[in-house]
């Protein structure tokens, strides 16, 4: 398995805690020497996981580090060795010889260049001597031709000497070379391959089959004779090829065969009974075949999906010489248009007309009756058949506009998830991820994924079920990123969750109320806009205060680590829509989204993300701070908007809220700018004035001051009450002044002063 092989290559030679093979001053040690061996063809099929995945990664790694520079140096050295006369260089063809030498040296250097910069070096060796048969054994040649086991090297029609014709270094034979170059993808067309003509063993058909299967072998890690048998007689499978604009030119011989730029193999699935699906799932069983309908029905608990019909892309391959040039995208675009009924034939019908069940039955009967002279009768036994070449063969290639279009509801695919494949199927093919298996493949270490694109024009069904399932799938994947998918690269994890505004945009396109309710039910919310009550369920006021402090660089990021999962959940579920700029778009940059996903959903530390994103620590923390600050400001705007609704008539608080706000303003406006002592003094004066006015109005005389036993008191007579005056300080002003003078003179007297009491003593009886 590839994960184990990758782990072996990354291990360093370590025995008893000591590294062997390293120099004395080598701090990094020496990498383990690893031998990788695998067959690429044979009767058991081609196990090419090693060559198509791991070795390709090593080649790219070497070329990216130092292979390119070494290749240029080797080419320049080879060209410098060729010297010619100073004159008449054209006759000597010096430049042509230099170019040829440079090209050969560059090609040889690109094969065996050692990687630099601490990366693993790669040395490739190829053994082509047979071990099961003798060299040139005709049995091996016959078996290879029958089962297409060596079609990536052999060319059909070569000399029958038992030895396959190989290119230089045994890599690419004549069957894999493109003779027509690389035309513009916009000029290429997709054709349907008739399998009866393909497997008729006609010379041109057999040569086309060898080219086709050679392209399969070069693009897929595993091909067996069973796959060839399935392609030949599986009734639900169809084969399409992308050809250049010169495919329909006249010609003869092998030159008439066009170059195959891309291949797509599809399988029709679905249209299952709902009762059958529910009965099978209730018992925990599922029938063979119909991969996508059974998986979707089981994962989403919806038996209605199995009633829909669709086409699953079983395999898609692009010629290795033109990969990454847009041919795969062109092929998928034409296939989608065909299944969606957008292909218009010359008679004005879409896709050659509809293919109803009755029409297909009639066509089957007519074909069987027309070929009754060549096909055995139904009551003939199998062992009594006499196979022989058919006299009338159907056309090998048919344009899509001349084929009847089946009524389908979706176009999907299932594949091992990688960043490159997910980018192709989501961006180029326009599909939506609906399922990701939690356990990885034992051989490749990849998680199986299912992606689907709706076909509403052909089927007539509303495609609102697709965004509903997509929202549900994104929520599930987001919750599993901290568990089964924690080891996934953060870049791939962000691409799986998709754009935060996808969910809201899908809802805007839905006009059917029932479909919109289904999307809301699957996504878990009735609105894509975050509400204050929902925010309070995730974050308290103290949490918002911590976010604000971190956004103002007043605390460390460790203070808000517990809040990052809630922030990531709100953002990647599309709840922040409407709290961004003037257009209502709330978006984070790609780096900010990756940091929020890695720290919040995958629970990765800053050090892990620094190593994974290859960014400095200070830049990572700065981008994370900007993301948190942006979300904190959005939360602040949300709460401010809620409070402002209470002040607007017709808002959340209505008229009562407006009256309460006005009363609060008046109370604040009437507050006097005085201290408490000033207010008490002023209140006492007002009370005394009011008392005097009442006494004057009632005709009472102002009470005279009574002898309270305190001489020289300055208190007014109105309060010269014995009950109050018993707490007054005794003595006159002169007595207190004299006592203070005596205190100043007597420094050692302590902190106490006293005056003589003037109260008359009561004589004892």
């Amino acid at each position: 398995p590839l994960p184990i092989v990758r782990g072996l290559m990354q291990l360093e030679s370590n025995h008893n805690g000591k590294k062997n093979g390293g120099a004395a001053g080598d701090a990094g040690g020496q990498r383990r020497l690893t031998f990788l061996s695998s067959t690429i063809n044979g009767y058991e099929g081609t196990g090419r996981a090693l060559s198509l995945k791991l070795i390709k990664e090593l080649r790219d790694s070497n070329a990216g580090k130092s292979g390119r520079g070494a290749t240029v140096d080797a080419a320049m050295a080879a060209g410098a060795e060729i010297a010619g006369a100073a004159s008449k260089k054209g006759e000597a063809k010096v430049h042509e010889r230099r170019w040829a030498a440079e090209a050969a040296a560059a090609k040889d250097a690109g094969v065996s260049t050692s990687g630099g910069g601490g990366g693993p070096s790669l040395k490739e060796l190829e053994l082509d001597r047979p071990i099961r048969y003798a060299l040139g054994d005709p049995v091996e040649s016959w078996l290879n031709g029958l089962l297409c086991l060596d079609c990536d090297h052999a060319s059909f029609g070569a000399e029958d000497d038992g030895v396959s014709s190989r290119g230089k270094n045994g890599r690419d034979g004549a069957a894999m070379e493109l003779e027509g170059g690389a035309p513009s993808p916009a000029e290429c067309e997709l054709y349907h391959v008739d399998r009866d003509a393909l497997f008729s063993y006609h010379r041109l058909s057999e040569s086309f089959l060898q080219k086709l299967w050679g392209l399969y072998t070069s693009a897929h890690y595993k091909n067996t004779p069973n796959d060839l048998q399935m392609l030949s007689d599986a009734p639900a499978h169809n084969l399409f090829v992308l050809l250049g604009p010169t495919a329909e030119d006249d010609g003869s011989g092998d030159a008439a065969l066009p170059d195959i730029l891309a291949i797509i193999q599809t399988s029709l699935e679905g249209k299952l009974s709902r009762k059958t699906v529910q009965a099978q799932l209730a018992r925990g069983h599922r029938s063979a075949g119909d991969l996508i309908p059974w998986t979707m029905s089981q994962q989403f608990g919806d038996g209605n999906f199995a009633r829909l019909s669709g086409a699953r892309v079983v395999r898609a391959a692009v010629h290795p010489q033109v990969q990454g040039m847009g041919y795969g995208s062109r092929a998928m675009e034409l296939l989608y248009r065909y299944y969606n009924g957008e292909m218009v034939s010359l008679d004005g019908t879409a896709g050659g007309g509809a293919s109803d069940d009755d029409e297909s039955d009639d066509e089957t009967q007519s074909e069987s009756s027309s070929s009754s002279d060549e096909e055995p009768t139904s009551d003939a036994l199998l062992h009594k058949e006499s196979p022989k070449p058919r006299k009338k063969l159907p056309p090998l290639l048919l344009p899509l506009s001349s084929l009847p279009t089946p009524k389908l509801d979706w176009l999907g695919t299932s594949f091992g998830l990688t960043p490159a494949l997910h980018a192709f199927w989501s961006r180029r093919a326009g599909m939506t991820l609906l399922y990701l298996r939690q356990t990885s493949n034992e051989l490749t270490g990849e998680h199986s994924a299912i992606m689907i694109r709706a076909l509403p024009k052909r089927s007539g069904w509303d495609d609102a079920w697709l965004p509903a399932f997509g929202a549900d799938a994104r929520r599930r994947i987001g919750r599993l990123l901290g568990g089964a998918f924690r080891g996934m690269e953060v870049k791939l994890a962000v691409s799986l969750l998709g754009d935060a505004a996808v969910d809201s945009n899908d809802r805007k396109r839905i006009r059917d109320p029932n479909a919109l309710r289904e999307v809301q039910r699957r996504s878990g919310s009735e609105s894509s806009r975050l509400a204050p009550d929902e925010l309070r369920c995730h974050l308290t006021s103290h949490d918002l205060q911590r976010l604000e402090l971190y956004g103002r660089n007043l605390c460390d990021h460790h203070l808000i680590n517990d809040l990052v999962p809630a922030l990531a959940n709100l953002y990647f579920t599309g709840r922040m829509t409407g709290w961004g700029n003037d257009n209502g778009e709330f978006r984070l940059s790609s780096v900010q989204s990756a940091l929020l996903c890695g720290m919040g959903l995958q629970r990765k530390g800053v050090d892990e993300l620094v190593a994974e994103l290859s960014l400095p620590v200070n830049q990572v923390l700065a981008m994370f701070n900007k993301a948190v600050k942006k979300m904190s400001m959005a939360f602040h705007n949300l709460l401010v908007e809620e409070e402002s609704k209470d002040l607007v008539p017709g808002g959340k608080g209505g008229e009562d809220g407006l009256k309460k706000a006005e009363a609060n303003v008046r109370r604040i406006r009437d507050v006097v700018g005085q201290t408490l002592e000033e207010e008490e003094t002023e209140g006492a004066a007002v009370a005394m004035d009011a008392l005097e006015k009442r006494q004057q109005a009632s005709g009472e005389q102002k009470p005279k001051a009574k002898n309270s036993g305190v001489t020289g008191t300055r208190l007014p007579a109105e309060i010269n009450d014995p009950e109050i005056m018993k707490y007054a300080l005794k003595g006159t002003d002169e007595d207190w002044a004299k006592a203070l003078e005596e205190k100043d003179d007597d420094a050692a007297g302590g902190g106490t002063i006293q005056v003589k009491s003037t109260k008359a003593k009561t004589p004892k009886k």
Side-chain angles (χ1 to χ4, degrees):
L2 287 183
I4 298 179
V5 177
R6 288 192 179 98
L8 291 175
M9 297 184 62
Q10 295 299 327
L11 291 177
E12 296 180 351
S13 54
N14 188 353
H15 301 282
N16 298 327
K18 298 181 180 180
K19 296 179 180 178
N20 299 329
D26 188 4
Q30 184 178 3
R31 289 184 178 273
R32 182 187 298 272
L33 179 61
T34 307
F35 291 91
L36 308 177
S37 176
S38 175
T39 58
I40 60 174
N41 45 35
Y43 72 89
E44 76 280 2
T46 58
R48 305 197 63 184
L50 178 66
S51 59
L52 292 181
K53 292 183 177 292
L54 184 59
I55 294 182
K56 183 178 182 300
E57 294 176 2
L58 295 176
R59 290 173 182 168
D60 296 341
S61 176
N62 291 335
K65 292 178 180 178
S66 63
R68 184 173 301 176
T71 302
V72 174
D73 295 341
M76 294 179 62
E81 294 179 356
I82 299 178
S87 60
K88 298 183 179 180
K89 292 185 178 181
E91 297 179 0
K93 296 184 179 181
V94 177
H95 296 295
E96 288 79 357
R97 291 164 53 196
R98 286 179 178 174
W99 293 337
E102 291 175 355
K107 187 174 183 179
D108 294 337
V111 173
S112 59
T113 300
S114 298
S121 60
L122 175 65
K123 179 67 176 180
E124 295 186 57
L125 299 176
E126 183 173 347
L127 305 178
D128 55 1
R129 186 176 184 85
I131 59 176
R132 295 188 179 95
Y133 302 91
L135 184 63
D137 194 327
V139 176
E140 181 185 15
S141 177
W142 169 81
L143 187 63
N144 291 340
L146 176 65
L147 301 180
C148 301
L149 298 179
D150 200 18
C151 54
D152 56 337
H153 296 303
S155 177
F156 182 78
E159 297 181 1
D160 191 11
D161 55 357
V163 181
S164 61
S165 59
R166 299 177 181 269
K168 188 176 181 180
N169 296 329
R171 293 187 176 276
D172 295 328
M176 292 300 298
E177 294 292 339
L178 289 178
E179 299 178 358
S184 173
E187 299 177 356
C188 300
E189 293 295 334
L190 195 65
Y191 293 85
H192 179 265
V193 180
D194 189 280
R195 292 183 293 171
D196 291 338
L198 181 64
F199 290 91
S200 62
Y201 209 70
H202 188 274
R203 187 172 185 275
L204 291 180
S205 299
E206 189 66 19
S207 179
F208 191 81
L209 176 61
Q210 295 287 337
K211 281 189 174 185
L212 186 147
W213 202 251
L215 190 57
Y216 263 158
T217 305
S218 64
H220 288 272
Y221 65 89
K222 185 178 181 180
N223 292 276
T224 64
N226 293 335
D227 300 325
L228 184 64
Q229 181 184 6
M230 181 180 296
L231 179 65
S232 63
D233 58 8
H237 283 234
N238 293 281
L239 191 63
F240 302 89
V241 293
L242 184 70
L243 307 178
T246 60
E248 298 183 2
D249 294 346
D250 295 334
S252 59
D254 291 343
L257 289 176
D259 293 330
I260 303 177
L261 301 175
I263 306 174
I264 299 178
Q265 182 180 350
T266 63
S267 174
L268 300 181
E269 297 181 349
K271 219 168 187 178
L272 304 177
S273 172
R274 181 178 180 180
K275 295 182 179 180
T276 302
V277 173
Q278 292 179 349
Q280 292 279 351
L281 295 180
R283 293 193 299 268
H285 301 290
R286 49 182 294 180
S287 302
D290 296 300
L291 173 64
I292 293 182
W294 281 107
T295 304
M296 294 296 100
S297 300
Q298 183 180 14
Q299 292 297 318
F300 295 101
D302 191 349
N304 292 325
F305 184 87
R307 300 172 57 187
L308 304 178
S309 58
R312 176 172 62 93
V313 177
V314 180
R315 289 187 176 185
V318 180
H319 198 283
Q321 296 183 359
V322 293
Q323 290 180 359
M325 299 176 62
Y327 294 102
S329 303
R330 175 63 176 175
M332 287 304 306
E333 176 189 358
L334 295 176
L335 184 66
Y336 171 78
R337 291 174 54 189
Y338 165 68
Y339 280 130
N340 202 31
E342 299 179 9
M343 291 291 183
V344 180
S345 60
L346 297 178
D347 57 357
T349 59
S355 62
D356 297 334
D357 296 338
D358 297 339
E359 295 178 0
S360 60
D361 295 341
D362 296 341
E363 293 175 0
T364 305
Q365 294 176 2
S366 61
E367 289 180 1
S368 60
S369 61
S370 61
S371 58
S372 59
D373 55 340
E374 299 181 9
E375 300 292 338
T377 58
S378 58
D379 56 349
L381 298 179
L382 183 62
H383 65 275
K384 293 184 179 180
E385 290 186 13
S386 56
K388 57 183 179 180
R390 298 175 58 179
K391 297 180 180 179
K392 296 181 180 180
L393 292 176
L396 178 63
L397 302 175
L398 290 175
L400 299 184
S401 58
S402 61
L403 295 176
T405 305
K407 289 187 177 182
L408 303 180
D409 302 288
W410 51 265
L411 175 65
T413 183
S414 176
F415 59 94
L417 184 65
T418 61
L421 289 179
H422 179 261
F424 171 78
W425 290 110
S426 61
R427 300 176 185 176
R428 303 297 182 182
M431 294 188 179
T432 302
L433 179 66
L434 298 186
Y435 170 73
L436 185 62
R437 188 176 181 180
Q438 299 183 29
T439 57
S440 59
N441 186 279
E442 296 181 356
L443 179 62
T444 62
E446 300 168 351
H447 298 270
S448 300
I450 292 180
M451 302 184 70
I452 291 179
R453 185 178 182 181
L455 301 171
K457 183 176 180 180
R458 185 58 182 162
S459 63
W461 289 81
D462 191 357
D463 60 341
W465 55 269
L466 182 60
F469 286 170
D472 195 354
R474 285 193 295 270
R475 292 175 64 250
R476 294 186 185 186
I477 295 175
R479 294 171 180 174
L480 292 173
L481 284 177
F485 305 140
R486 189 184 184 278
M488 185 182 298
E489 296 182 5
V490 66
K491 297 179 181 179
L492 179 58
V494 172
S495 63
L496 293 182
L497 297 178
D499 194 352
V502 171
D503 185 48
S504 60
N505 294 335
D506 290 340
R507 297 187 184 190
K508 293 178 182 178
R509 291 194 298 264
I510 300 175
R511 298 181 179 180
D512 187 3
N514 297 328
L516 183 58
R517 283 194 295 270
E518 180 65 19
V519 174
Q520 294 172 353
R521 186 176 66 87
R522 288 285 181 178
S523 60
S525 60
E526 297 182 357
S527 175
S528 61
R529 187 180 177 89
L530 181 65
D533 295 337
E534 183 182 357
L535 176 62
R536 295 187 182 96
C537 295
H538 294 276
L539 301 172
T540 64
S541 58
H542 300 286
D543 297 337
L544 297 176
Q545 184 179 5
R546 282 191 287 161
L547 292 177
E548 184 179 358
L549 290 176
Y550 179 71
R552 296 165 58 186
N553 293 320
L554 298 179
C555 64
D556 190 62
H557 70 91
H558 296 92
L559 187 63
I560 63 166
N561 276 346
D562 60 311
L563 305 179
V564 180
L567 300 181
N569 185 33
L570 290 174
Y571 176 73
F572 286 106
T573 54
R575 308 302 300 147
M576 299 300 298
T577 304
W579 299 109
N581 51 21
D582 297 336
N583 298 329
E585 299 287 344
F586 185 90
R587 295 180 182 273
L588 299 177
S589 64
S590 57
V591 178
Q592 293 173 352
S593 300
L595 294 176
L596 194 63
C597 176
M599 298 178 65
L601 299 180
Q602 293 185 294
R603 306 297 199 274
K604 294 182 178 180
V606 177
D607 297 336
E608 296 180 71
L609 295 176
V610 167
E612 192 169 346
L613 299 177
S614 301
L615 294 175
V617 180
N618 55 352
Q619 185 176 354
V620 168
L621 293 178
M623 297 299 292
F624 179 68
N625 179 270
K626 290 182 179 179
V628 174
K629 182 178 180 180
K630 190 173 183 180
M631 298 191 71
S632 177
M633 294 177 61
F635 297 150
H636 175 74
N637 296 335
L638 187 151
L639 298 177
V640 169
E641 180 176 335
E642 182 193 22
E643 295 295 334
S644 63
K645 290 181 179 179
D646 295 339
L647 306 179
V648 179
K652 181 179 179 180
E655 297 294 339
D656 296 337
L658 182 60
K659 292 180 180 179
K660 293 180 180 179
E662 292 177 352
N664 293 333
V665 171
R666 285 195 298 268
R667 285 197 299 268
I668 296 175
R669 182 184 58 192
D670 295 339
V671 172
V672 180
Q674 294 178 330
T675 63
L676 181 60
E677 184 179 358
E678 294 174 349
E679 188 176 1
E680 290 177 350
T681 304
E682 183 180 355
V686 173
M688 294 302 300
D689 294 340
L691 181 59
E692 292 178 358
K693 291 179 180 180
R694 286 198 300 270
Q695 291 176 352
Q696 294 176 2
S698 60
E700 298 179 359
Q701 295 182 357
K702 185 176 181 180
K704 296 180 180 181
K706 298 180 180 179
N707 187 8
S708 58
V710 181
T711 59
T713 179
R714 294 175 295 176
L715 295 176
E718 288 80 1
I719 60 173
N720 196 6
D721 185 37
E723 293 296 331
I724 298 178
M725 294 307 297
K726 67 181 181 180
Y727 300 103
L729 295 177
K730 311 300 181 181
T732 61
D733 294 340
E734 292 79 4
D735 296 336
W736 284 105
K738 184 178 179 180
L740 291 175
E741 291 177 359
E742 294 176 355
K743 175 63 177 175
D744 295 337
D745 296 338
D746 187 9
T752 304
I753 60 175
Q754 59 183 354
V755 295
K756 186 178 180 180
S757 177
T758 58
K759 184 176 181 181
K761 294 183 179 181
T762 305
K764 295 182 179 180
K765 295 182 180 180

